[in-house]
């Protein structure tokens, strides 16, 4: 198996097709946007999504390059069928499937060659999910766990993803940002006291965001010292929480969905 493509890494980075913990957003996407009965899961990994789609009375084939992943997928209770193969050279005839979905695969492979193959074997619709480029946080030395997967070759912006998909000549491309960062929940978790609800209409400016992150980092250190028990430290925290009241954070999405109509 290629370096990095192991069951250990798949579990470490939370690949849902391996862990079986299906992402509700992806489930909704498959329920509402797949067309037809013949479905390809391109890059099915452990097969969790393929089995879900097959349970919806569709004929599903799951394809993956790696035998270790397919061995995890295949068991006596399978509803989907599984094939070993490469997404850059699919072992299917033209227009074999009504719809194909491809979750978190294009960033691992030759994305242009793969997309041409996906379009070749699909008659009606492609559903694609890729990681969105971390344009804001990276400038300040910050990132999210999703972005340190060593098997990723690239990330995408809406512009670069749209340009890539346009090369296959689709009739329509719908791009949807997905997996928003829950800033308010993160702040609540990091603060040691309850924080007032943040007002949804106020936009957090960049200097205040940086001040927030800096303070939280300092605060984590404080929790391990007796200084936190001092009235001065508590007063500082309460004052900072009050300043956050009425503020919401700029939206950052970690992924992009593309719904691509081919006819």
């Amino acid at each position: 198996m290629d370096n990095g493509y192991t069951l250990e890494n798949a579990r470490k980075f939370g690949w849902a097709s391996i862990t079986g913990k299906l992402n509700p957003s992806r489930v909704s996407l498959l329920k509402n946007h797949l067309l037809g009965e013949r479905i390809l899961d391109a890059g099915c990994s452990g097969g969790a999504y393929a089995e879900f789609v097959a349970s919806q009375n569709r004929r599903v084939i799951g394809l993956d390059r790696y035998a270790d992943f397919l061995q995890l997928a295949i068991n006596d209770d399978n509803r989907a069928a599984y094939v070993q193969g490469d997404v850059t050279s699919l072992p299917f005839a033209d227009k074999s499937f009504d719809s194909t979905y491809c979750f978190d695969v294009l960033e691992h492979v030759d994305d242009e060659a793969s997309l041409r193959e996906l379009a070749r074997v699909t008659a009606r619709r492609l559903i694609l999910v890729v990681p969105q480029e971390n344009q804001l946080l990276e400038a300040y030395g910050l990132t999210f766990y999703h972005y340190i997967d060593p098997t990723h070759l690239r990330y995408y912006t809406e512009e670069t993803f749209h340009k890539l998909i346009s090369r296959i000549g689709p009739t329509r491309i719908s791009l949807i940002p997905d997996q928003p960062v829950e800033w308010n929940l993160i702040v609540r978790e990091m603060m040691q006291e309850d924080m007032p609800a943040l007002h949804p209409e106020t936009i957090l400016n960049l200097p205040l965001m940086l001040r927030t992150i800096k303070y939280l980092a300092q605060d984590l250190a404080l929790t391990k010292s007796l200084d936190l028990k001092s009235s001065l430290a508590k007063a500082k925290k309460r004052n900072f929480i009050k300043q956050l009241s009425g503020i919401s954070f700029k939206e950052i999405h970690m992924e992009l969905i593309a719904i691509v109509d081919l006819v």
Side-chain angles (χ1 to χ4, degrees):
M1 183 175 288
D2 292 2
N3 184 34
Y5 293 97
T6 64
L7 290 173
E8 181 183 3
N9 270 347
R11 292 186 177 104
K12 175 181 178 181
F13 291 102
W15 296 7
S17 55
I18 294 289
T19 66
K21 298 177 181 178
L22 300 186
N23 184 313
S25 174
R26 306 269 177 97
V27 169
S28 177
L29 189 63
L30 294 171
K31 279 184 175 180
N32 296 324
H33 296 286
L34 284 175
L35 300 177
E37 300 302 318
R38 303 170 302 158
I39 310 297
L40 173 63
D41 181 338
C44 67
S45 194
Y49 285 111
E51 292 300 316
F52 166 75
V53 175
S55 75
Q56 306 296 303
N57 297 316
R58 287 182 157 112
R59 290 179 289 147
V60 182
I61 292 180
L63 173 137
D64 204 273
R65 179 179 178 181
Y66 299 105
D68 283 8
F69 294 157
L70 290 176
Q71 287 173 8
L72 185 65
I74 297 171
N75 58 64
D76 294 338
D77 299 323
N78 287 138
R79 298 188 183 193
Y82 294 95
V83 174
Q84 187 170 5
D86 194 322
V87 73
T88 63
S89 181
L90 293 169
F92 307 112
D94 293 357
K95 310 308 175 189
S96 293
F97 304 95
D98 296 310
S99 293
T100 293
Y101 61 94
C102 185
F103 292 167
D104 302 303
V105 172
L106 295 179
E107 66 271 20
H108 298 269
V109 296
D110 181 333
D111 53 1
E112 187 170 354
S114 299
L115 196 53
R116 284 198 302 268
E117 279 292 276
L118 296 175
R120 179 184 65 79
V121 303
T122 307
R124 301 175 66 183
R125 174 170 286 175
L126 300 176
I127 300 177
L128 312 169
V129 178
V130 297
Q132 186 162 210
E133 187 176 312
N134 175 14
Q135 293 179 299
L136 177 61
L137 296 185
E138 215 170 53
Y140 299 94
L142 301 171
T143 192
F144 293 104
Y145 200 56
H146 181 67
Y147 294 107
I148 61 174
D149 186 336
T151 61
H152 289 184
L153 300 178
R154 68 190 68 84
Y155 299 92
Y156 300 82
T157 65
E158 290 192 26
E159 292 75 20
T160 60
F161 198 28
H162 192 282
K163 183 178 179 180
L164 172 68
I165 298 168
S166 296
R167 292 171 185 163
I168 62 173
T171 58
R172 185 175 65 175
I173 304 171
S174 300
L175 293 184
I176 307 165
D178 193 37
Q179 299 305 302
V181 177
E182 299 291 349
W183 287 112
N184 292 357
L185 296 180
I186 293 170
V187 171
R188 284 177 182 272
E189 184 70 21
M190 294 182 74
M191 301 301 285
Q192 299 301 307
E193 299 175 6
D194 290 336
M195 190 176 75
L198 302 182
H199 196 281
E201 297 180 358
T202 307
I203 304 300
L204 179 70
N205 59 43
L206 188 55
L208 188 50
M209 175 191 285
L210 296 177
R211 183 180 172 194
T212 301
I213 294 170
K214 179 180 178 182
Y215 181 82
L216 292 176
Q218 293 173 338
D219 194 62
L220 285 175
L222 279 175
T223 61
K224 297 181 180 180
S225 71
L226 296 177
D227 292 341
L228 186 61
K229 297 180 180 179
S230 70
S231 58
L232 180 61
K234 289 183 178 180
K236 181 180 179 182
K237 177 177 286 186
R238 284 194 295 270
N239 182 57
F240 186 77
I241 290 174
K242 288 180 181 179
Q243 291 181 51
L244 282 178
S245 182
I247 295 171
S248 65
F249 294 86
K250 180 178 181 179
E251 286 191 356
I252 295 178
H253 294 85
M254 292 188 287
E255 295 186 329
L256 285 170
I257 295 168
I259 300 172
V260 184
D261 289 335
L262 301 174
V263 295

